[in-house]
Amino acid sequence: MLKRLEISNFVLVQNLCLEFSPGFNIFSGETGAGKSIIIDALAILLGKRAAFIKIREGEQQAVISAFFETTEHLQKKEQVNLWFEKHFFVQNPKELFIRRVLDRSGKSRVWINGQSCALNQIRELGELLLEINGQHSHQKLNSASYQKDLLDEYASLNHDRKKLRSSWELWQSSQEKLDILLEEQSAIKQKREVLAWKISELEKLNLSEGEWEIISSKHAKISKLSETLTIITSCSDALDRDDGMVSRLEKISSDIEGLTEDDEALQEISATFEKGIIELQEACSGLKRYKAAWEIDESQIQEIERRFDEILVTSQKIKQNPELLQETLFNLKEELIELDNDMDISELEKKVNDYKSQYFNLANEISRKRTTVSVEFSSIVTNWFKKLSMQNFIFSVSVRPEVTPNSTGIDAVSFEISQFEGKNKQKITQTASGGELSRIMLAITMAISDVSRTPTMIFDEIDAGIGGNTGDSVGEVLKLLGEEQQVFCITHLPQIAARGSNQFQIQKKIVENRPPITEIKELAYEERIKEIARMLGDEFAKDTSIEHAKSLLSTHCQRISKS
């Protein structure tokens, strides 16, 4: 229930604080006074998008805040609790203080009990707290989906609808996956062949853990050693062969030695040659020993080179670095398993059929409930027609097979009326006037009020296009609704206003050289008499209007039965 509303610098309102009570609350005022400001403010507070033009001229920001209690409506209280849990808010759902600030920079901020809140979140909460029936709300009745929603709400099918939607989504998502799979069979088959070939190549390679690191290291050493041994062999051959450097030096030394008998200088030179030959021979022996020490089995070298080349060729085939081949093999096998699972059409087809069967089982059960409840619902709405000066109208709900199943089921729901018994039924959108649609909407609201009771309901000029006794009937029904819920009604009909348990007057105050100011105040009994007299039209017969207003107020508490 809405307990308090505070508005500052919003449209024509400067500063306003209103306290509200349960029951049937009336808002009245002259045309153009700004009667719809209350509705607009509450709609924006509870998530409606707003432009900075809503900010009062000359001000930088507008502030709207409201205090709600949820203790009286247990069903909505539980839903509010769930909302708090879902969005991780600090829970105190018995009391809700909601505040929204608009500024000219275009920014908008919302708080719930002091915690910041997103617009989509506040919209969701707002639907649990308050229902606004604006001047054109009855136009929603033109929507077939809205008519279905109303019937399902009366039949308490919301939980069934959620299960049905979940089943529908499972069926459709698996069907879509199957359709895609069937279309892509050729591409998937080709991809599988490539995966299988790569796996086969890697499995033939049979690479062990760490093998590439060992082989590549050995191959690097062998390559370097081979080059070294080639140079050593060449040097050793140059020294030691028959015409090598040692033999040639030995011949030179021998020739010089033959000349040294009487020549001391040549004797020294010959001695130097002999020392050099000995050192060269030692160097040659050292080269031979080094070569012998590093001699590797040729077959071993060939095996290392063969394995090295084999790994490189395979890595080039599958376009992957040698050090990643083992990891690649594991990933390819996983991908192949997943692909094989995806290619298992029979399993997916079974899932599709199971989900489809589950959907139609739920949809058929909901259809049976709709068909059964539609008779009761039609009768109750028709009874409310009689209380709304539509005595000859007969309401009925048509539940027919839907052309195409959807997330709401297999039924096409249509609201129909006939204006007297025996007349062919027609869709309400084809035969009802604007005033009649408003009363039809009110009759439906009364029919579902026991199963779907929003704590606070607002009606904006539901009396448009009606008057006289019809206005009396509408006022009496709204008064009755106010006994079970908090009801706000913006009206221009005195016969409706007189039935309010509380009445607020809306006036526009003109201030020189400043924007007008809309003021709203709760009326005392004597003030209500004057206001209702004004609504009756007191320009030429003020006393008569006053007496008529007193009479209306003295009898406004007479009620009709809801049965």
Side-chain angles (χ1 to χ4, degrees):
M1 184 182 75
L2 178 61
K3 294 287 291 181
R4 185 173 69 251
L5 177 66
E6 297 179 4
I7 305 172
S8 64
N9 300 325
F10 180 76
V11 194
L12 298 180
V13 173
Q14 193 168 40
N15 285 293
L16 181 66
C17 181
L18 297 173
E19 300 280 346
F20 298 115
S21 303
F24 184 29
N25 297 273
I26 296 295
F27 288 92
S28 61
E30 291 283 3
T31 301
K35 294 190 290 296
S36 294
I37 285 178
I38 294 291
I39 289 180
D40 206 13
L42 285 169
I44 288 173
L45 176 69
L46 297 177
K48 180 182 176 182
R49 295 198 175 275
F52 72 85
I53 58 172
K54 294 291 184 181
I55 301 172
R56 180 174 169 81
E57 185 180 343
E59 303 294 338
Q60 292 304 307
Q61 67 175 209
V63 181
I64 307 167
S65 58
F67 178 72
F68 290 89
E69 284 185 353
T70 63
T71 53
E72 295 182 4
H73 299 273
L74 296 179
Q75 181 185 8
K76 295 298 180 183
K77 180 182 176 183
E78 291 175 1
Q79 292 175 332
V80 170
N81 285 337
L82 290 174
W83 183 93
F84 269 75
E85 291 176 10
K86 175 182 175 182
H87 297 292
F88 306 104
F89 276 76
V90 177
Q91 289 198 37
N92 185 18
K94 293 181 181 179
E95 298 179 344
L96 302 178
F97 181 70
I98 304 174
R99 183 170 181 262
R100 185 169 181 184
V101 176
L102 311 174
D103 62 42
R104 290 199 177 275
S105 67
K107 293 182 180 179
S108 171
R109 290 162 292 168
V110 186
W111 293 267
I112 298 177
N113 289 353
Q115 287 183 260
S116 181
C117 180
L119 279 185
N120 63 321
Q121 294 175 330
I122 192 64
R123 274 194 291 268
E124 187 179 332
L125 177 63
E127 291 175 358
L128 303 175
L129 301 175
L130 185 144
E131 179 181 333
I132 297 175
N133 294 278
Q135 295 180 27
H136 306 292
S137 291
H138 61 268
Q139 293 178 0
K140 293 186 292 185
L141 282 174
N142 295 333
S143 165
S145 62
Y146 182 68
Q147 293 177 15
K148 185 187 291 187
D149 291 343
L150 287 173
L151 177 63
D152 289 349
E153 194 169 4
Y154 177 79
S156 300
L157 291 176
N158 289 339
H159 179 66
D160 292 336
R161 282 269 296 260
K162 287 180 181 177
K163 288 171 61 179
L164 184 67
R165 174 178 284 278
S166 176
S167 179
W168 164 263
E169 289 173 351
L170 286 172
W171 172 28
Q172 293 304 302
S173 63
S174 58
Q175 182 67 58
E176 182 180 353
K177 190 175 181 181
L178 178 60
D179 293 341
I180 292 172
L181 192 59
L182 289 171
E183 289 176 5
E184 297 181 350
Q185 277 294 288
S186 177
I188 292 174
K189 184 178 179 181
Q190 186 177 4
K191 183 177 180 181
R192 191 192 186 286
E193 289 173 354
V194 172
L195 285 175
W197 171 77
K198 287 183 177 182
I199 291 170
S200 174
E201 290 294 318
L202 288 169
E203 287 180 338
K204 281 192 297 183
L205 182 64
N206 195 24
L207 191 66
S208 60
E209 182 73 30
E211 183 182 357
W212 166 251
E213 287 74 13
I214 296 170
I215 290 292
S216 59
S217 176
K218 285 183 177 180
H219 186 270
K221 289 179 181 179
I222 287 172
S223 298
K224 185 177 181 181
L225 183 60
S226 177
E227 182 181 350
T228 302
L229 292 177
T230 299
I231 295 172
I232 288 173
T233 300
S234 175
C235 293
S236 178
D237 289 346
L239 291 170
D240 197 38
R241 64 177 180 259
D242 291 343
D243 61 344
M245 292 178 64
V246 174
S247 296
R248 290 164 64 189
L249 285 173
E250 284 177 340
K251 185 178 182 305
I252 293 170
S253 178
S254 177
D255 290 344
I256 293 174
E257 188 178 358
L259 303 174
T260 61
E261 186 173 349
D262 297 317
D263 191 332
E264 290 183 2
L266 287 175
Q267 288 176 356
E268 289 180 6
I269 293 172
S270 177
T272 301
F273 267 104
E274 286 178 1
K275 289 179 182 178
I277 289 168
I278 291 170
E279 289 179 355
L280 282 175
Q281 287 174 337
E282 287 180 355
C284 185
S285 297
L287 289 173
K288 289 178 179 180
R289 286 194 302 272
Y290 184 89
K291 180 181 179 182
W294 286 99
E295 203 75 61
I296 300 176
D297 183 11
E298 187 65 28
S299 63
Q300 187 180 358
I301 293 174
Q302 290 176 356
E303 176 58 27
I304 290 172
E305 289 182 340
R306 183 198 66 77
R307 187 60 172 161
F308 182 83
D309 292 341
E310 188 177 31
I311 295 171
L312 278 184
V313 168
T314 302
S315 70
Q316 290 168 358
K317 279 184 179 180
I318 67 170
K319 298 178 181 179
Q320 187 57 274
N321 294 331
E323 62 269 17
L324 298 176
L325 290 180
Q326 279 195 305
E327 181 183 347
T328 301
L329 177 60
F330 176 81
N331 292 337
L332 290 174
K333 285 182 176 179
E334 289 291 311
E335 190 175 352
L336 183 63
I337 291 170
E338 186 176 343
L339 197 63
D340 283 341
N341 289 337
D342 289 341
M343 287 184 69
D344 189 357
I345 295 178
S346 60
E347 182 66 25
L348 187 54
E349 284 177 334
K350 183 178 182 302
K351 278 186 178 180
V352 170
N353 289 331
D354 288 345
Y355 290 141
K356 182 179 179 181
S357 176
Q358 183 184 37
Y359 166 82
F360 276 103
N361 287 338
L362 289 169
N364 284 323
E365 179 62 26
I366 288 174
S367 181
R368 283 192 290 272
K369 289 180 180 179
R370 282 173 177 155
T371 302
T372 301
V373 168
S374 65
V375 177
E376 177 186 327
F377 184 59
S378 299
S379 176
I380 292 175
V381 174
T382 299
N383 285 337
W384 280 110
F385 280 175
K386 294 174 183 176
K387 297 170 184 179
L388 289 166
S389 298
M390 299 174 72
Q391 289 85 348
N392 296 323
F393 283 69
I394 299 171
F395 180 84
S396 63
V397 180
S398 168
V399 181
R400 298 186 180 92
E402 183 67 88
V403 175
T404 305
N406 54 57
S407 61
T408 64
I410 56 175
D411 304 311
V413 174
S414 175
F415 289 175
E416 300 172 346
I417 59 171
S418 56
Q419 297 193 15
F420 54 86
E421 191 170 352
K423 183 181 179 180
N424 291 334
K425 299 172 184 176
Q426 292 180 300
K427 292 182 178 180
I428 58 174
T429 56
Q430 297 173 338
T431 184
S433 66
E436 288 167 345
L437 281 174
S438 294
R439 282 180 284 162
I440 291 171
M441 191 71 216
L442 179 57
I444 292 171
T445 298
M446 297 302 296
I448 66 175
S449 63
D450 285 337
V451 295
S452 177
R453 188 172 295 170
T454 305
T456 300
M457 298 190 71
I458 299 179
F459 294 90
D460 183 12
E461 298 195 12
I462 193 173
D463 51 16
I466 64 173
N469 291 335
T470 300
D472 279 318
S473 300
V474 170
E476 202 66 32
V477 170
L478 288 171
K479 177 73 174 180
L480 182 60
L481 184 63
E483 293 178 0
E484 300 175 347
Q485 296 163 253
Q486 185 185 43
V487 175
F488 294 93
C489 181
I490 297 170
T491 183
H492 65 276
L493 289 184
Q495 55 267 55
I496 292 179
R499 287 169 169 81
S501 49
N502 306 286
Q503 186 168 352
F504 297 82
Q505 184 185 47
I506 303 173
Q507 291 181 317
K508 184 188 289 184
K509 182 179 178 182
I510 305 300
V511 182
E512 188 175 354
N513 298 323
R514 291 178 59 192
I517 298 174
T518 290
E519 297 178 338
I520 304 175
K521 71 170 184 175
E522 186 173 3
L523 300 178
Y525 184 80
E526 292 300 324
E527 292 173 317
R528 289 190 70 182
I529 292 174
K530 293 179 181 179
E531 173 63 6
I532 292 172
R534 180 199 64 77
M535 296 171 75
L536 286 164
D538 61 357
E539 184 177 359
F540 301 107
K542 190 168 186 178
D543 291 342
T544 302
S545 295
I546 290 289
E547 290 304 314
H548 192 183
K550 288 179 179 179
S551 175
L552 283 172
L553 281 172
S554 66
T555 58
H556 82 277
C557 61
Q558 294 178 358
R559 303 182 182 94
I560 56 176
S561 169
K562 193 179 177 183
S563 60

